[in-house]
Amino acid sequence: MTTPEPWPATGPRLSDDDVEHADAPTGSAGLNQPWRAAVAGIELVVAVGLALAAWWSWRQGTVTIYLPGPEGAVDVVTRSIGSWLAAAVGAATLAGLLLLDAIRQLALALRARRRESNGV
């Protein structure tokens, strides 16, 4: 039984130097890109806006009703509106995810610049 060669008989043969340098990156398309800081800033602004929207939606989702009770007392009933509370939870969750991604973008941008300036 014969086994095929790892390269075709008529194909190019690579030298040891070519094989060693084939895995080396050819450009600087790494983490150091200046737009990462801008993306982090935009995500922070949107996260703050979503946090404010979540707070506003939560306040819209709870309604307090004052009812007259026996002998002149006042009964307080608090009702919850599920759609407003769900919107508040969704906005808060999205704000948290954007905050985490903004921290990640900023850390990658700063770390990449520091390493590049040290010559690494």
Side-chain angles (χ1 to χ4, degrees), residues 42-54 95 98-99:
I42 291 169
E43 285 180 341
L44 283 175
V45 170
V46 173
V48 168
L50 282 171
L52 290 174
L98 281 175
L99 181 64

Side-chain angles (χ1 to χ4, degrees), residues 38-78:
V39 169
I42 291 169
E43 285 180 341
L44 283 175
V45 170
V46 173
V48 168
L50 282 171
L52 290 174
W55 177 76
W56 179 78
S57 296
W58 191 267
R59 289 182 50 92
Q60 294 294 320
T62 57
V63 178
T64 304
I65 302 170
Y66 300 99
L67 298 172
E71 300 175 10
V74 177
D75 288 336
V76 179
V77 177
T78 303

Side-chain angles (χ1 to χ4, degrees), residues 50-51 53-54 57-58 82-97:
L50 282 171
S57 296
W58 191 267
S83 59
W84 283 106
L85 297 180
V89 168
T93 302
L94 190 57
L97 289 174

